[in-house]
Amino acid sequence: MRLAPALVAFSVCTSMGCRWHRRRRAPPRPPPVSSRIEVLDRARLADHAYGRVGDLRLVAGDVALTVAARPDEPGHRPVMGAVVDVDRADGDQPDPLLWWRPVWIDAASRAHPMVAALVDLAPCPNRNVGIVRTATVDGVSLRSHLCAIGPGRFRVRTTARDLPAGATLADDINPGSASVRVEGRDEGWEGTAPTPWIELTEHGTTLRFETADAAVARRNLVHIAAETFPSAVTWMASGASSDRTLTVRAADPAPPPPAAGATLRLSFDDPTGADVPVHVMFARAGGPDPQPALDPRAHGFASGRSVYLLDGHGDVSLPPGEYRVTASRGTAWTLHRSTVTLAPGAPTELRATLRPVLPPGWIAADLHLHSSPSPDSRVTLAQRVGSLVCNGIDFAVATDHNRITDLSPAVRAAGLDHALVTAIGDEVTSAGATLWGHFNAFPLPPVGEAVAPEDAVPPYYGVDPAALFAGARAAGATILQVNHPRMPPSIGYFDLTRFDAATGRASEAFSEGFDAVEAFNGIWLETPAKVREGLVDLVGLARRGMRVAATGNSDSHRLVYEEAGYPRTWVHVAQGARATLGERVYAGIRRGETSVSSGPFVTMENLTDGRDGVLVVRITVTAPAWVPVERVELWRDDMVAQRWNVTAPATDGVRFDVRAVLRLERDAVVTAWAEADAPLPDVLPYPDARAIGFTSPRYIDRDGDGRVTIAPRP
């Protein structure tokens, strides 16, 4: 009979009289956690999602982390090795994470992100198989091991070799538009915060990162004018190693809204009796902003102190009290304003008729819009479509950051094909060691489900402007628009290329391969001087011999602020079938037949060609009575040549009409402008949003040589 080895040792020691030493037992190994590794066989397509065929998924319980395992495409952000997607339960759902990856921070606080050279499988301490990422980043060797430690729970251990003096490891966590909480701070925090945990919450999911070590989180939000945009979080470690855990769970349910107690029944139509989509804002004197709740049966949605009624009617619940109600459909329609007193009991009814006041032949377009596929927007596609229709936009281009978005399925689902035509575009957002700005490229072809959204966009990472423009053209774009050309921090093309409007000169990196300039961005609604700067830049481009169209767009990322359609680009289009509207809009932009407006609609007709030294133009300003119009200007080059005060009582329709004469000694760029100091009424939540309108430049060839030559500014 064979004895067990322990019994053999005991027998020998007894017979030899030796002293027995009990063998120390090794601590029991933890039981394996139920987890598995999968290889993605289809691209992730959900909003905020990332993941290409061949990427790895670590699944624990009903949660899966996707790790970018394929080499990155040239011209696209390098994220190989990063955790780029989190799925809870089955299906491809949006999540609160764009990426999570190790970085090392040097003594000057510069981040060196890990881009893995190798992504492989490796055993975990609990006998599961995990994912290991390795790379050498600027002389520092990084190794990061991802393991499942329980259902919906994961652990990442990262080590570094050859860290320079004063350097440390850290986590680079990009939450996109998710809320970010750390210990002792609310979600609006920024700066630095000592914290043992970070929580990201969005789309019904919470990601909680934890560490046992002392750690400091750093976050610098982006502030532009009155707006704030999200940013990534850097979470410092202690020296050359870090140990983090991630728990993924359903977000805590939101508290139920307080009982409203009173109902307002709204109904809006046009002069023919047809329902009119409207944007309705509520205000309460002397109290906090109200939070209206729209009846679930209504065709629309609520946001902040607004409701959007896609068919012009619906029941709104509010606490009893007195409210100012403002209903609008953009700057081409009349406005309804009234004060109502709501009490419990039977609904209070409010009915009104809105009517259009602008001439036909022009299309209201918003060519710069964001929704939930953008990393800095929470607006759903359905909400984006509704906000456009309720604000009177006829044509819209989806331009999410480095993402292809098609709004047309949401238009069809809402039954709004008759009201809105959309195009697919992309805000090509430059990234890499050198930044060049943001550029809208449209129209772009739809992307099938076989192509990952990241792979579908034109090159944007580490490419110069000429290559960026060429890539957008190769992708199919017939219109390239320079967005917010002078906007901090480091996102204005003209600033980044040192373009000087006074001379037309710029750095060698400046490329002229664009068709339009966003001279009025919605973030400058309260800053007329920045809008004037846009006109000056158009003249500066003429000094280079360029002729481009002026556009104005909301750049809307939200619903409550950055309202869709404020400003907008009016495009003069030829008559034609609705199916061809996009092509006719693009042709109008290329011809420069645009007018930009956050209120007044301005047109300018050349009655003479100016070749005899006398240019005669007709300037017309049209607006509904609620839009203030106080001054009209005629610009020659980048200076105001003539100015008129508008003193007539405000009416719906034509507010100003004049024939003006300019005497020209040389070629010129001519533009008409209208404005007011009085702010717009309560159609926007901004307290000082201005009514501004201006035309695209008219290029006057005074000497008849076939060119328009503009001298540098003295």
Side-chain angles (χ1 to χ4, degrees):
M1 181 178 72
R2 294 184 60 190
L3 298 177
L7 293 177
V8 171
F10 178 78
S11 300
V12 171
C13 284
T14 301
S15 63
M16 296 178 61
C18 61
R19 188 175 179 183
W20 173 251
H21 295 277
R22 182 182 297 272
R23 179 190 294 176
R24 292 187 178 181
R25 291 175 178 252
R29 298 181 67 182
V33 174
S34 177
S35 67
R36 64 185 185 276
I37 301 289
E38 299 177 346
V39 180
L40 272 179
D41 59 1
R42 66 186 65 185
R44 291 278 174 224
L45 302 175
D47 299 348
H48 292 186
Y50 180 93
R52 296 172 292 173
V53 174
D55 286 344
L56 299 179
R57 279 166 41 99
L58 176 58
V59 184
D62 65 349
V63 174
L65 305 188
T66 298
V67 176
R70 285 179 45 190
D72 302 287
E73 294 291 327
H76 293 183
R77 183 182 298 277
V79 291
M80 184 173 171
V83 176
V84 291
D85 199 60
V86 178
D87 284 311
R88 189 171 55 84
D90 293 334
D92 181 18
Q93 303 296 326
D95 63 74
L97 181 72
L98 293 185
W99 66 70
W100 172 32
R101 59 186 178 181
V103 298
W104 68 272
I105 308 296
D106 62 27
S109 297
R110 291 185 297 260
H112 303 257
M114 177 194 212
V115 179
L118 179 66
V119 178
D120 205 351
L121 306 184
C124 297
N126 59 7
R127 291 178 283 171
N128 282 336
V129 175
I131 299 174
V132 66
R133 293 82 49 86
T134 57
T136 299
V137 182
D138 298 330
V140 175
S141 297
L142 298 176
R143 184 180 189 275
S144 190
H145 195 184
L146 171 64
C147 295
I149 58 174
R153 299 194 69 230
F154 305 87
R155 186 175 189 176
V156 173
R157 291 180 173 174
T158 304
T159 57
R161 287 191 294 110
D162 302 320
L163 270 178
T168 186
L169 275 176
D171 295 80
D172 178 26
I173 303 173
N174 192 326
S177 59
S179 67
V180 181
R181 294 178 58 246
V182 297
E183 187 174 60
R185 304 284 187 93
D186 61 24
E187 67 172 277
W189 73 276
E190 62 179 318
T192 58
T195 182
W197 56 265
I198 298 175
E199 280 193 352
L200 315 182
T201 299
E202 195 174 27
H203 302 298
T205 297
T206 291
L207 278 56
R208 184 179 175 95
F209 302 86
E210 295 179 277
T211 182
D213 302 324
V216 172
R218 186 173 66 207
R219 183 191 191 202
N220 297 312
L221 298 175
V222 178
H223 299 274
I224 306 174
E227 304 299 336
T228 301
F229 296 89
S231 65
V233 179
T234 302
W235 200 23
M236 312 301 288
S238 299
S241 65
S242 70
D243 195 338
R244 315 295 207 204
T245 60
L246 168 62
T247 303
V248 182
R249 59 176 173 80
D252 296 331
T263 300
L264 178 63
R265 180 158 294 164
L266 298 171
S267 181
F268 298 93
D269 59 15
D270 67 14
T272 71
D275 294 337
V276 172
V278 290
H279 172 213
V280 186
M281 295 192 70
F282 297 85
R284 181 166 46 192
D289 285 345
Q291 300 288 316
L294 187 61
D295 188 287
R297 296 166 295 182
H299 190 28
F301 53 91
S303 179
R305 62 186 183 96
S306 298
V307 296
Y308 296 81
L309 303 176
L310 305 189
D311 54 9
H313 54 83
D315 287 359
V316 175
S317 298
L318 288 159
E322 185 177 271
Y323 296 91
R324 295 191 302 273
V325 182
T326 304
S328 63
R329 194 172 184 243
T331 58
W333 289 70
T334 59
L335 186 76
H336 172 80
R337 286 180 283 193
S338 62
T339 299
V340 298
T341 300
L342 304 183
T348 299
E349 295 196 5
L350 192 162
R351 296 177 177 271
T353 297
L354 277 61
R355 61 184 182 86
V357 299
L358 266 58
W362 293 78
I363 291 296
D366 197 333
L367 310 173
H368 189 176
L369 293 157
H370 296 274
S371 49
S372 51
S374 277
D376 51 2
S377 177
R378 300 181 185 180
V379 180
T380 68
L381 301 189
Q383 289 173 333
R384 175 54 66 218
V385 165
S387 68
L388 289 161
V389 171
C390 289
N391 283 320
I393 293 297
D394 307 304
F395 181 82
V397 183
T399 55
D400 289 315
H401 294 287
N402 297 332
R403 189 78 176 225
I404 305 298
T405 301
D406 186 357
L407 291 172
S408 61
V411 174
R412 288 193 296 272
L416 295 171
D417 298 78
H418 64 286
L420 181 66
V421 174
T422 64
I424 299 172
D426 172 31
E427 184 167 21
V428 186
T429 305
S430 70
T434 304
L435 303 178
W436 299 112
H438 299 182
F439 312 89
N440 278 356
F442 59 91
L444 297 175
V447 178
E449 293 190 357
V451 180
E454 169 64 16
D455 291 344
V457 299
Y460 64 89
Y461 191 95
V463 294
D464 64 17
L468 187 150
F469 295 166
R473 297 290 191 194
T478 60
I479 300 294
L480 278 176
Q481 171 183 281
V482 177
N483 292 343
H484 40 65
R486 296 197 188 274
M487 183 175 284
S490 301
I491 58 175
Y493 178 53
F494 291 174
D495 289 333
L496 293 166
T497 55
R498 302 192 299 279
F499 173 62
D500 178 12
T503 63
R505 291 193 291 267
S507 71
E508 292 183 357
F510 187 89
S511 176
E512 297 183 353
F514 52 90
D515 311 285
V517 170
E518 188 179 71
F520 188 179
N521 180 280
I523 211 162
W524 304 128
L525 280 166
E526 297 181 293
T527 317
K530 292 294 292 184
V531 187
R532 287 179 176 269
E533 187 178 74
L535 265 69
V536 171
D537 279 330
L538 292 171
V539 177
L541 294 173
R543 291 188 170 105
R544 298 180 66 93
M546 297 180 64
R547 300 189 185 191
V548 299
T551 66
N553 308 292
S554 66
D555 193 4
S556 176
H557 289 71
R558 304 180 183 129
L559 293 172
V560 177
Y561 287 93
E562 303 165 34
E563 190 76 33
Y566 287 88
R568 64 193 61 198
T569 302
W570 289 99
V571 185
H572 190 235
V573 298
Q575 291 186 344
R578 189 167 184 80
T580 67
L581 181 59
E583 291 304 320
R584 288 180 283 131
V585 167
Y586 311 143
I589 294 172
R590 287 192 293 267
R591 292 192 305 268
E593 295 184 6
T594 64
S595 184
V596 175
S597 176
S598 62
F601 171 60
V602 184
T603 61
M604 182 172 63
E605 179 185 3
N606 288 9
L607 301 179
T608 65
D609 62 14
R611 291 191 178 180
D612 61 355
V614 179
L615 176 68
V616 182
V617 298
R618 181 183 181 185
I619 302 172
T620 305
V621 179
T622 310
W626 60 269
V627 171
V629 179
E630 298 175 5
R631 286 179 301 280
V632 177
E633 298 172 351
L634 179 61
W635 289 40
R636 177 172 53 206
D637 298 341
D638 44 14
M639 302 293 290
V640 176
Q642 298 182 41
R643 180 182 286 114
W644 300 267
N645 291 325
V646 180
T647 58
T651 58
D652 294 325
V654 176
R655 305 280 290 279
F656 180 84
D657 192 355
V658 71
R659 290 165 61 99
V661 177
L662 272 181
R663 300 197 178 276
L664 304 178
E665 298 177 355
R666 57 186 182 273
D667 295 351
V669 176
V670 180
T671 312
W673 166 286
E675 67 175 1
D677 294 328
L680 289 167
D682 198 28
V683 296
L684 297 170
Y686 295 98
D688 197 28
R690 300 300 185 86
I692 296 172
F694 55 91
T695 66
S696 259
R698 301 291 185 268
Y699 300 92
I700 310 302
D701 182 11
R702 165 66 174 85
D703 56 18
D705 65 355
R707 298 175 299 171
V708 175
T709 304
I710 308 298
R713 190 187 311 151

